[in-house]
Amino acid sequence: MTTDLTLFERGVPFTGNYPAALAGLQERLAQLQLAQIVHAKRALIIFEGPSGSGKKDALRPITAALDPCHFATHSVGDARDEGRHWLAPFWNALPATGSTAIFYHGWYRRLVAERVQRRVGDKAWSRACDEINEFEAQQHDHDTIIVKLYFHTTANVRAARIRERGDDPWRRHLPPQDEAIDEADRARTIEVLQDLFALTDTRWAPWRIVDAGDGRAAQLAALTMVTDALAKAIPAQPPATAEKVVPIRLQKSA
């Protein structure tokens, strides 16, 4: 996947009926989750992107539409466990049959950060990307739907959002996710991301880039990407009536 991230910096405002558009997408997602549960499909949704890119604002309307008994949100962060493989924390959080695991930052965050800081050399970088592709291929082969979202916007938009967060007497106490925005680091990050997308965009786990400059447009775009991916992978019709359902119906009618 060759990606020009500047194409996702337009931040075109959404001008339609936002409540109606949001409600329609949430209703569609709820129905797709029901189909996912009935057809015993697993799903992984990964939210990636820097601080101030609008990930959490896009996460809220997605989780609000889901049955809470059949999904879990994980924020693994940068926790290290030197005694185990670096993907081990994510293995432990994989979804059960009929369930969805949402990773608010997944297995890419730490790798990208260390590559930007030049703490990961070319050989280790290539090996890590290969391990990710194999890990995601294993999940795909285990009948798991994978949706990878990357939220991108301009440095100015991010800086404004981070300043706004700092002005809030409550949110300012939340631990920072990223270091301050720096133009040199930004250029290096873009370079690393383009390489990452080229190495880890696969047929079974493609990247989907969200233009996150406008909050409402980004939320609707993320919802659309998730619902489209689920709709493509889950049968549209319910399965034939299971034999065990028949006696239950007969008991109720007796």
Side-chain angles (χ1 to χ4, degrees), residues 98-131:
S99 295
T100 296
I102 301 175
F103 288 94
Y104 184 76
H105 286 302
W107 33 93
Y108 293 95
R109 180 185 183 185
R110 174 180 163 188
L111 178 62
V112 168
E114 295 192 350
R115 181 64 167 172
V116 169
Q117 297 164 7
R118 292 180 168 81
R119 295 168 59 187
V120 174
D122 292 346
K123 185 175 180 180
W125 170 254
S126 296
R127 183 178 65 249
C129 289
D130 286 343
E131 290 176 349

Side-chain angles (χ1 to χ4, degrees), residues 22-51:
L22 179 64
L25 285 167
Q26 288 179 318
E27 182 179 353
R28 183 185 184 213
L29 179 57
Q31 182 58 45
L32 284 165
Q33 187 197 25
L34 179 59
Q36 174 196 341
I37 296 166
V38 169
H39 285 287
K41 296 280 188 178
R42 303 169 183 84
L44 289 171
I45 305 175
I46 300 99
F47 280 69
E48 294 288 359
S51 182

Side-chain angles (χ1 to χ4, degrees), residues 71-227:
F71 87 92
T73 301
H74 307 278
S75 184
V76 176
D78 296 324
R80 296 169 180 267
D81 186 343
E82 302 297 347
R84 298 189 298 167
H85 190 276
W86 65 284
L87 288 173
F90 303 101
W91 272 103
N92 292 342
L94 292 176
T97 300
S99 295
T100 296
I102 301 175
F103 288 94
Y104 184 76
H105 286 302
W107 33 93
Y108 293 95
R109 180 185 183 185
R110 174 180 163 188
L111 178 62
V112 168
E114 295 192 350
R115 181 64 167 172
V116 169
Q117 297 164 7
R118 292 180 168 81
R119 295 168 59 187
V120 174
D122 292 346
K123 185 175 180 180
W125 170 254
S126 296
R127 183 178 65 249
C129 289
D130 286 343
E131 290 176 349
I132 284 174
N133 289 337
E134 291 173 2
F135 171 68
E136 292 175 347
Q138 288 175 323
Q139 308 320 310
H140 172 76
D141 292 343
H142 197 50
D143 214 17
T144 302
I145 305 158
I146 303 173
V147 187
K148 300 189 302 193
L149 304 177
Y150 189 87
F151 291 76
H152 180 74
T153 187
T154 65
N156 289 338
V157 170
R158 285 185 56 212
R161 290 172 177 170
I162 291 172
R163 283 196 301 270
E164 181 182 358
R165 183 181 305 167
D167 292 337
D168 187 307
W170 288 102
R171 297 173 70 201
R172 71 176 59 161
H173 293 284
L174 297 176
Q177 293 183 329
D178 305 291
E179 45 292 336
I181 298 172
D182 177 84
E183 281 303 317
D185 285 346
R186 176 177 167 80
R188 170 66 176 167
T189 300
I190 295 297
E191 176 186 336
V192 169
L193 286 171
Q194 289 174 334
D195 193 27
L196 178 79
F197 295 148
L199 292 173
T200 61
D201 182 71
T202 58
R203 174 178 49 80
W204 54 89
W207 278 105
R208 294 169 170 86
I209 314 299
V210 180
D211 183 338
D214 179 76
R216 288 186 168 186
Q219 293 162 27
L220 296 177
L223 261 167
T224 300
M225 291 173 182
V226 170
T227 54

